[in-house]
PDB file of all heavy atoms in Angstrom:
ATOM      1  N   THR A 171    -122.147 192.902 -42.885  1.00 91.00           N
ATOM      2  CA  THR A 171    -122.102 191.450 -43.028  1.00 91.00           C
ATOM      3  C   THR A 171    -122.535 190.721 -41.714  1.00 91.00           C
ATOM      4  O   THR A 171    -123.360 189.801 -41.717  1.00 91.00           O
ATOM      5  CB  THR A 171    -120.699 190.949 -43.414  1.00 91.00           C
ATOM      6  OG1 THR A 171    -120.368 191.549 -44.671  1.00 91.00           O
ATOM      7  CG2 THR A 171    -120.613 189.429 -43.519  1.00 91.00           C
ATOM      8  N   SER A 172    -122.006 191.258 -40.652  1.00 91.00           N
ATOM      9  CA  SER A 172    -122.419 190.644 -39.320  1.00 91.00           C
ATOM     10  C   SER A 172    -123.862 190.957 -39.006  1.00 91.00           C
ATOM     11  O   SER A 172    -124.557 190.108 -38.325  1.00 91.00           O
ATOM     12  CB  SER A 172    -121.480 191.177 -38.184  1.00 91.00           C
ATOM     13  OG  SER A 172    -121.655 192.580 -38.007  1.00 91.00           O
ATOM     14  N   ALA A 173    -124.386 192.110 -39.432  1.00 92.00           N
ATOM     15  CA  ALA A 173    -125.756 192.431 -39.207  1.00 92.00           C
ATOM     16  C   ALA A 173    -126.683 191.487 -39.933  1.00 92.00           C
ATOM     17  O   ALA A 173    -127.702 190.984 -39.304  1.00 92.00           O
ATOM     18  CB  ALA A 173    -126.056 193.854 -39.646  1.00 92.00           C
ATOM     19  N   ILE A 174    -126.418 191.183 -41.184  1.00 92.00           N
ATOM     20  CA  ILE A 174    -127.254 190.239 -41.929  1.00 92.00           C
ATOM     21  C   ILE A 174    -127.225 188.858 -41.318  1.00 92.00           C
ATOM     22  O   ILE A 174    -128.216 188.210 -41.185  1.00 92.00           O
ATOM     23  CB  ILE A 174    -126.800 190.216 -43.385  1.00 92.00           C
ATOM     24  CG1 ILE A 174    -127.027 191.607 -44.054  1.00 92.00           C
ATOM     25  CG2 ILE A 174    -127.500 189.137 -44.156  1.00 92.00           C
ATOM     26  CD1 ILE A 174    -126.500 191.688 -45.497  1.00 92.00           C
ATOM     27  N   LYS A 175    -126.002 188.413 -40.962  1.00 90.00           N
ATOM     28  CA  LYS A 175    -125.845 187.101 -40.289  1.00 90.00           C
ATOM     29  C   LYS A 175    -126.690 187.049 -38.981  1.00 90.00           C
ATOM     30  O   LYS A 175    -127.139 185.972 -38.640  1.00 90.00           O
ATOM     31  CB  LYS A 175    -124.381 186.825 -40.078  1.00 90.00           C
ATOM     32  CG  LYS A 175    -123.606 186.494 -41.354  1.00 90.00           C
ATOM     33  CD  LYS A 175    -122.156 186.127 -41.070  1.00 90.00           C
ATOM     34  CE  LYS A 175    -121.414 185.817 -42.341  1.00 90.00           C
ATOM     35  NZ  LYS A 175    -119.994 185.517 -42.045  1.00 90.00           N
ATOM     36  N   ALA A 176    -126.730 188.221 -38.282  1.00 91.00           N
ATOM     37  CA  ALA A 176    -127.416 188.193 -37.012  1.00 91.00           C
ATOM     38  C   ALA A 176    -128.914 188.310 -37.091  1.00 91.00           C
ATOM     39  O   ALA A 176    -129.676 188.247 -36.153  1.00 91.00           O
ATOM     40  CB  ALA A 176    -126.898 189.396 -36.160  1.00 91.00           C
ATOM     41  N   GLY A 177    -129.399 188.496 -38.361  1.00 92.00           N
ATOM     42  CA  GLY A 177    -130.839 188.549 -38.576  1.00 92.00           C
ATOM     43  C   GLY A 177    -131.434 189.908 -38.853  1.00 92.00           C
ATOM     44  O   GLY A 177    -132.599 190.159 -38.638  1.00 92.00           O
ATOM     45  N   LEU A 178    -130.596 190.899 -39.154  1.00 94.00           N
ATOM     46  CA  LEU A 178    -131.054 192.223 -39.401  1.00 94.00           C
ATOM     47  C   LEU A 178    -131.248 192.410 -40.975  1.00 94.00           C
ATOM     48  O   LEU A 178    -130.395 191.942 -41.720  1.00 94.00           O
ATOM     49  CB  LEU A 178    -130.041 193.303 -38.920  1.00 94.00           C
ATOM     50  CG  LEU A 178    -129.797 193.335 -37.407  1.00 94.00           C
ATOM     51  CD1 LEU A 178    -128.796 194.410 -37.093  1.00 94.00           C
ATOM     52  CD2 LEU A 178    -131.015 193.512 -36.597  1.00 94.00           C
ATOM     53  N   SER A 179    -132.257 193.125 -41.333  1.00 94.00           N
ATOM     54  CA  SER A 179    -132.549 193.423 -42.691  1.00 94.00           C
ATOM     55  C   SER A 179    -132.837 194.884 -42.812  1.00 94.00           C
ATOM     56  O   SER A 179    -133.553 195.468 -41.942  1.00 94.00           O
ATOM     57  CB  SER A 179    -133.651 192.585 -43.297  1.00 94.00           C
ATOM     58  OG  SER A 179    -133.269 191.194 -43.369  1.00 94.00           O
ATOM     59  N   TYR A 180    -132.443 195.546 -43.868  1.00 94.00           N
ATOM     60  CA  TYR A 180    -132.591 197.001 -44.006  1.00 94.00           C
ATOM     61  C   TYR A 180    -133.117 197.380 -45.392  1.00 94.00           C
ATOM     62  O   TYR A 180    -132.494 196.970 -46.402  1.00 94.00           O
ATOM     63  CB  TYR A 180    -131.260 197.631 -43.785  1.00 94.00           C
ATOM     64  CG  TYR A 180    -131.217 199.146 -43.928  1.00 94.00           C
ATOM     65  CD1 TYR A 180    -132.205 199.946 -43.383  1.00 94.00           C
ATOM     66  CD2 TYR A 180    -130.221 199.758 -44.644  1.00 94.00           C
ATOM     67  CE1 TYR A 180    -132.149 201.391 -43.577  1.00 94.00           C
ATOM     68  CE2 TYR A 180    -130.135 201.157 -44.863  1.00 94.00           C
ATOM     69  CZ  TYR A 180    -131.108 201.896 -44.306  1.00 94.00           C
ATOM     70  OH  TYR A 180    -131.059 203.316 -44.467  1.00 94.00           O
TER      71      TYR A 180
END
Side-chain angles (χ1 to χ4, degrees):
T171 300
S172 65
I174 294 174
K175 288 181 178 179
L178 300 179
S179 294
Y180 176 48

